Amino acid sequence: MGPGVAARVAAARILDAVLQRGRSLKATLAATLPELADGRDRALVEAIVMTALRQRVRYNHALDHWLDKPLGAKDGLLRALLLAGFAQLELHLPAHAAVAATVDAARDLKRTHQAGMVNALLRRAQREGLPQAEPRLAWPAWLAEQVASDWPQQADAIFAASAQTAPLWLRVNRRWITREDYLGLLREAGIEAIPDPALADALKLDATLPVQQLPGFEAGLVSVQDAAAQAVADAFVLAPGARLLDACAAPGGKAAQLAERDASLRITALDVDARRVRRMQDTFARLRLDIDTRCADAATPDAWWDGQAFNAILIDAPCSATGIVRRQPDVLLHRREADIAALRDSQSNLLDALWPLLAPDGTLVYATCSILRAENAAQVAAFLARTPDAALQPLDARFGHDTGFGQQRLPGEGGGDGFFCARLRKVDPASVTLPA
């Protein structure tokens, strides 16, 4: 293969797997990227794939209008390559090299007879630009309608933000370095970053780069974590030595952040997936944190709980992921309407199963990366209605819009992801007053 061709072939194969065969983007990237030896190629492939998925409605619209004959059912890989080609032009790669490498990739994919068409379409896109389209059209109709119903004033902004590239957010490990000192390391490396005034450990980079280029990453000085996710730690006020459960912990960012803030906390981090648990353990080792990490189903505590109550519990519950579409654009391809009911049942089960594990006067934080009220405010309202000793505690404006039963950040607000957070305290049932 010529220079850059392998990266274009890889991008096309990933897009084909996700778009045509219903594969998970995260899993397909994890399986494919290690096959590319050069880190720059891995970063390029990921950027191409993410851009093509976010903008697929626009790119497909161009193909539908520019092709005299529509692509057939057997042309999925060719369509994926064309989407990858369009993405490169909008990533502002050198156009000649991008077009040439993509045309060569068509030949490598045994599409030699269509290489001329690939060249012509990419040249046209280069000359004319690609058409615009309403960001809402990328969403399944039922889901777009739900978002518009839940957030009528903000829906257009949600759809638009979810189609944009997210900034790179860093969390500085305050156990080993201050944020100001780490900013100095970034400047020495020629990397520009902006501190977030509302989040003590957060830095925002507008340009995405491989983590290996971050100073001190392997030494545990810094982690990648979105601003909205970092805010969750501020929902806790913990006494030294407090016992905390992170019930659905993978990939481990929130447990790690709390441990970085207070080494005396006794944290148990659970996840039901053994592979994700191993990755968490690797993360904690890199950060030099001592966290009890277990593979277990949080919803069945009889199988793992030692009977000692927790002072605090975090449930970052499985959800529709509608708040992180810009980071996981395949959510819009895979999510089905029936999923929401199943997810709500799972969330309810976690709340009911874990509340008895919380000590009197303890705090439970319920969080999701969803923007759907059914998974968030409605879920918390229902839990409060059936749980006499649970009381909602207010959170401030850092956590987003007040829904009456928790706070909701929407995609793009403050540069962060969409995220819901509610804080509950275990109290004497006689003292509870439900919100209006």
Side-chain angles (χ1 to χ4, degrees), residues 391-410:
L392 183 69
Q393 289 193 304
L395 294 167
D396 60 43
R398 286 174 299 167
F399 296 87
H401 304 263
D402 184 0
T403 68
F405 291 93
Q407 310 293 121
Q408 178 75 64
R409 290 179 66 145
L410 298 174

PDB file of all heavy atoms in Angstrom, residues 391-410:
ATOM      1  N   ALA A 391     -34.530  11.567  50.700  1.00  0.00           N
ATOM      2  CA  ALA A 391     -34.823  12.986  50.537  1.00  0.00           C
ATOM      3  C   ALA A 391     -33.901  13.565  49.473  1.00  0.00           C
ATOM      4  O   ALA A 391     -32.694  13.283  49.457  1.00  0.00           O
ATOM      5  CB  ALA A 391     -34.638  13.733  51.848  1.00  0.00           C
ATOM      6  N   LEU A 392     -34.484  14.374  48.589  1.00  0.00           N
ATOM      7  CA  LEU A 392     -33.701  15.024  47.540  1.00  0.00           C
ATOM      8  C   LEU A 392     -32.962  16.214  48.132  1.00  0.00           C
ATOM      9  O   LEU A 392     -33.556  17.037  48.833  1.00  0.00           O
ATOM     10  CB  LEU A 392     -34.627  15.483  46.418  1.00  0.00           C
ATOM     11  CG  LEU A 392     -33.973  16.125  45.195  1.00  0.00           C
ATOM     12  CD1 LEU A 392     -33.177  15.092  44.405  1.00  0.00           C
ATOM     13  CD2 LEU A 392     -35.034  16.771  44.299  1.00  0.00           C
ATOM     14  N   GLN A 393     -31.671  16.306  47.822  1.00  0.00           N
ATOM     15  CA  GLN A 393     -30.881  17.450  48.249  1.00  0.00           C
ATOM     16  C   GLN A 393     -30.549  18.314  47.040  1.00  0.00           C
ATOM     17  O   GLN A 393     -30.207  17.788  45.972  1.00  0.00           O
ATOM     18  CB  GLN A 393     -29.582  16.988  48.916  1.00  0.00           C
ATOM     19  CG  GLN A 393     -29.783  16.362  50.288  1.00  0.00           C
ATOM     20  CD  GLN A 393     -28.462  16.231  51.009  1.00  0.00           C
ATOM     21  OE1 GLN A 393     -27.524  15.633  50.521  1.00  0.00           O
ATOM     22  NE2 GLN A 393     -28.386  16.802  52.206  1.00  0.00           N
ATOM     23  N   PRO A 394     -30.619  19.632  47.182  1.00  0.00           N
ATOM     24  CA  PRO A 394     -30.386  20.502  46.023  1.00  0.00           C
ATOM     25  C   PRO A 394     -28.935  20.490  45.570  1.00  0.00           C
ATOM     26  O   PRO A 394     -28.016  20.273  46.359  1.00  0.00           O
ATOM     27  CB  PRO A 394     -30.797  21.886  46.541  1.00  0.00           C
ATOM     28  CG  PRO A 394     -30.625  21.803  48.029  1.00  0.00           C
ATOM     29  CD  PRO A 394     -30.961  20.388  48.399  1.00  0.00           C
ATOM     30  N   LEU A 395     -28.756  20.724  44.286  1.00  0.00           N
ATOM     31  CA  LEU A 395     -27.435  20.931  43.685  1.00  0.00           C
ATOM     32  C   LEU A 395     -27.447  22.293  43.004  1.00  0.00           C
ATOM     33  O   LEU A 395     -28.502  22.784  42.599  1.00  0.00           O
ATOM     34  CB  LEU A 395     -27.119  19.830  42.673  1.00  0.00           C
ATOM     35  CG  LEU A 395     -26.951  18.423  43.237  1.00  0.00           C
ATOM     36  CD1 LEU A 395     -26.963  17.381  42.117  1.00  0.00           C
ATOM     37  CD2 LEU A 395     -25.657  18.316  44.042  1.00  0.00           C
ATOM     38  N   ASP A 396     -26.285  22.897  42.862  1.00  0.00           N
ATOM     39  CA  ASP A 396     -26.258  24.261  42.337  1.00  0.00           C
ATOM     40  C   ASP A 396     -26.175  24.282  40.810  1.00  0.00           C
ATOM     41  O   ASP A 396     -26.216  23.245  40.140  1.00  0.00           O
ATOM     42  CB  ASP A 396     -25.104  25.053  42.960  1.00  0.00           C
ATOM     43  CG  ASP A 396     -23.744  24.430  42.687  1.00  0.00           C
ATOM     44  OD1 ASP A 396     -23.503  24.007  41.539  1.00  0.00           O
ATOM     45  OD2 ASP A 396     -22.907  24.378  43.613  1.00  0.00           O
ATOM     46  N   ALA A 397     -26.045  25.482  40.269  1.00  0.00           N
ATOM     47  CA  ALA A 397     -26.123  25.692  38.820  1.00  0.00           C
ATOM     48  C   ALA A 397     -24.995  25.029  38.053  1.00  0.00           C
ATOM     49  O   ALA A 397     -25.103  24.837  36.836  1.00  0.00           O
ATOM     50  CB  ALA A 397     -26.145  27.187  38.513  1.00  0.00           C
ATOM     51  N   ARG A 398     -23.900  24.659  38.720  1.00  0.00           N
ATOM     52  CA  ARG A 398     -22.821  23.942  38.025  1.00  0.00           C
ATOM     53  C   ARG A 398     -23.319  22.636  37.409  1.00  0.00           C
ATOM     54  O   ARG A 398     -22.746  22.137  36.437  1.00  0.00           O
ATOM     55  CB  ARG A 398     -21.690  23.604  39.000  1.00  0.00           C
ATOM     56  CG  ARG A 398     -20.825  24.759  39.424  1.00  0.00           C
ATOM     57  CD  ARG A 398     -19.854  24.286  40.487  1.00  0.00           C
ATOM     58  NE  ARG A 398     -20.547  23.785  41.683  1.00  0.00           N
ATOM     59  CZ  ARG A 398     -19.957  23.096  42.649  1.00  0.00           C
ATOM     60  NH1 ARG A 398     -18.683  22.785  42.561  1.00  0.00           N
ATOM     61  NH2 ARG A 398     -20.651  22.698  43.701  1.00  0.00           N
ATOM     62  N   PHE A 399     -24.379  22.075  37.980  1.00  0.00           N
ATOM     63  CA  PHE A 399     -24.874  20.772  37.552  1.00  0.00           C
ATOM     64  C   PHE A 399     -25.959  20.878  36.473  1.00  0.00           C
ATOM     65  O   PHE A 399     -26.468  19.862  36.020  1.00  0.00           O
ATOM     66  CB  PHE A 399     -25.403  20.004  38.763  1.00  0.00           C
ATOM     67  CG  PHE A 399     -24.334  19.680  39.777  1.00  0.00           C
ATOM     68  CD1 PHE A 399     -24.012  20.583  40.777  1.00  0.00           C
ATOM     69  CD2 PHE A 399     -23.630  18.491  39.708  1.00  0.00           C
ATOM     70  CE1 PHE A 399     -23.016  20.296  41.706  1.00  0.00           C
ATOM     71  CE2 PHE A 399     -22.638  18.198  40.631  1.00  0.00           C
ATOM     72  CZ  PHE A 399     -22.326  19.107  41.627  1.00  0.00           C
ATOM     73  N   GLY A 400     -26.305  22.112  36.074  1.00  0.00           N
ATOM     74  CA  GLY A 400     -27.211  22.263  34.951  1.00  0.00           C
ATOM     75  C   GLY A 400     -28.608  22.727  35.333  1.00  0.00           C
ATOM     76  O   GLY A 400     -28.835  23.303  36.399  1.00  0.00           O
ATOM     77  N   HIS A 401     -29.554  22.462  34.440  1.00  0.00           N
ATOM     78  CA  HIS A 401     -30.934  22.898  34.589  1.00  0.00           C
ATOM     79  C   HIS A 401     -31.619  22.157  35.741  1.00  0.00           C
ATOM     80  O   HIS A 401     -31.492  20.936  35.865  1.00  0.00           O
ATOM     81  CB  HIS A 401     -31.720  22.625  33.302  1.00  0.00           C
ATOM     82  CG  HIS A 401     -31.115  23.251  32.081  1.00  0.00           C
ATOM     83  ND1 HIS A 401     -31.548  24.455  31.578  1.00  0.00           N
ATOM     84  CD2 HIS A 401     -30.102  22.842  31.270  1.00  0.00           C
ATOM     85  CE1 HIS A 401     -30.838  24.764  30.511  1.00  0.00           C
ATOM     86  NE2 HIS A 401     -29.954  23.799  30.295  1.00  0.00           N
ATOM     87  N   ASP A 402     -32.369  22.880  36.537  1.00  0.00           N
ATOM     88  CA  ASP A 402     -33.120  22.273  37.634  1.00  0.00           C
ATOM     89  C   ASP A 402     -34.392  21.635  37.067  1.00  0.00           C
ATOM     90  O   ASP A 402     -35.260  22.326  36.526  1.00  0.00           O
ATOM     91  CB  ASP A 402     -33.486  23.332  38.668  1.00  0.00           C
ATOM     92  CG  ASP A 402     -34.178  22.754  39.892  1.00  0.00           C
ATOM     93  OD1 ASP A 402     -34.382  21.522  39.934  1.00  0.00           O
ATOM     94  OD2 ASP A 402     -34.513  23.532  40.795  1.00  0.00           O
ATOM     95  N   THR A 403     -34.490  20.309  37.156  1.00  0.00           N
ATOM     96  CA  THR A 403     -35.663  19.597  36.639  1.00  0.00           C
ATOM     97  C   THR A 403     -36.741  19.394  37.699  1.00  0.00           C
ATOM     98  O   THR A 403     -37.796  18.851  37.403  1.00  0.00           O
ATOM     99  CB  THR A 403     -35.255  18.209  36.107  1.00  0.00           C
ATOM    100  OG1 THR A 403     -34.857  17.380  37.211  1.00  0.00           O
ATOM    101  CG2 THR A 403     -34.122  18.316  35.094  1.00  0.00           C
ATOM    102  N   GLY A 404     -36.453  19.806  38.929  1.00  0.00           N
ATOM    103  CA  GLY A 404     -37.355  19.526  40.049  1.00  0.00           C
ATOM    104  C   GLY A 404     -36.974  18.267  40.792  1.00  0.00           C
ATOM    105  O   GLY A 404     -37.276  18.114  41.976  1.00  0.00           O
ATOM    106  N   PHE A 405     -36.296  17.362  40.111  1.00  0.00           N
ATOM    107  CA  PHE A 405     -35.847  16.105  40.723  1.00  0.00           C
ATOM    108  C   PHE A 405     -34.411  15.800  40.298  1.00  0.00           C
ATOM    109  O   PHE A 405     -34.072  14.673  39.957  1.00  0.00           O
ATOM    110  CB  PHE A 405     -36.784  14.958  40.343  1.00  0.00           C
ATOM    111  CG  PHE A 405     -38.142  15.060  40.948  1.00  0.00           C
ATOM    112  CD1 PHE A 405     -39.176  15.682  40.265  1.00  0.00           C
ATOM    113  CD2 PHE A 405     -38.390  14.568  42.224  1.00  0.00           C
ATOM    114  CE1 PHE A 405     -40.435  15.794  40.828  1.00  0.00           C
ATOM    115  CE2 PHE A 405     -39.650  14.673  42.795  1.00  0.00           C
ATOM    116  CZ  PHE A 405     -40.673  15.295  42.100  1.00  0.00           C
ATOM    117  N   GLY A 406     -33.557  16.799  40.326  1.00  0.00           N
ATOM    118  CA  GLY A 406     -32.170  16.647  39.913  1.00  0.00           C
ATOM    119  C   GLY A 406     -31.809  17.687  38.873  1.00  0.00           C
ATOM    120  O   GLY A 406     -32.655  18.436  38.377  1.00  0.00           O
ATOM    121  N   GLN A 407     -30.535  17.721  38.530  1.00  0.00           N
ATOM    122  CA  GLN A 407     -30.012  18.739  37.610  1.00  0.00           C
ATOM    123  C   GLN A 407     -29.571  18.086  36.304  1.00  0.00           C
ATOM    124  O   GLN A 407     -28.961  17.012  36.311  1.00  0.00           O
ATOM    125  CB  GLN A 407     -28.823  19.456  38.227  1.00  0.00           C
ATOM    126  CG  GLN A 407     -29.062  19.982  39.632  1.00  0.00           C
ATOM    127  CD  GLN A 407     -30.079  21.101  39.697  1.00  0.00           C
ATOM    128  OE1 GLN A 407     -31.093  20.995  40.383  1.00  0.00           O
ATOM    129  NE2 GLN A 407     -29.808  22.169  38.971  1.00  0.00           N
ATOM    130  N   GLN A 408     -29.849  18.779  35.200  1.00  0.00           N
ATOM    131  CA  GLN A 408     -29.549  18.253  33.865  1.00  0.00           C
ATOM    132  C   GLN A 408     -28.662  19.218  33.092  1.00  0.00           C
ATOM    133  O   GLN A 408     -29.034  20.351  32.838  1.00  0.00           O
ATOM    134  CB  GLN A 408     -30.836  18.034  33.079  1.00  0.00           C
ATOM    135  CG  GLN A 408     -30.627  17.521  31.659  1.00  0.00           C
ATOM    136  CD  GLN A 408     -30.250  16.058  31.624  1.00  0.00           C
ATOM    137  OE1 GLN A 408     -31.046  15.211  32.031  1.00  0.00           O
ATOM    138  NE2 GLN A 408     -29.047  15.750  31.132  1.00  0.00           N
ATOM    139  N   ARG A 409     -27.463  18.748  32.724  1.00  0.00           N
ATOM    140  CA  ARG A 409     -26.640  19.466  31.752  1.00  0.00           C
ATOM    141  C   ARG A 409     -26.983  18.916  30.372  1.00  0.00           C
ATOM    142  O   ARG A 409     -27.174  17.706  30.205  1.00  0.00           O
ATOM    143  CB  ARG A 409     -25.150  19.265  32.045  1.00  0.00           C
ATOM    144  CG  ARG A 409     -24.696  19.965  33.307  1.00  0.00           C
ATOM    145  CD  ARG A 409     -23.231  19.749  33.597  1.00  0.00           C
ATOM    146  NE  ARG A 409     -22.380  20.361  32.586  1.00  0.00           N
ATOM    147  CZ  ARG A 409     -21.206  20.917  32.862  1.00  0.00           C
ATOM    148  NH1 ARG A 409     -20.742  20.950  34.090  1.00  0.00           N
ATOM    149  NH2 ARG A 409     -20.465  21.434  31.896  1.00  0.00           N
ATOM    150  N   LEU A 410     -27.023  19.800  29.397  1.00  0.00           N
ATOM    151  CA  LEU A 410     -27.333  19.416  28.027  1.00  0.00           C
ATOM    152  C   LEU A 410     -26.071  19.439  27.177  1.00  0.00           C
ATOM    153  O   LEU A 410     -25.109  20.149  27.494  1.00  0.00           O
ATOM    154  CB  LEU A 410     -28.400  20.353  27.452  1.00  0.00           C
ATOM    155  CG  LEU A 410     -29.741  20.325  28.190  1.00  0.00           C
ATOM    156  CD1 LEU A 410     -30.688  21.378  27.639  1.00  0.00           C
ATOM    157  CD2 LEU A 410     -30.377  18.930  28.116  1.00  0.00           C
TER     158      LEU A 410
END
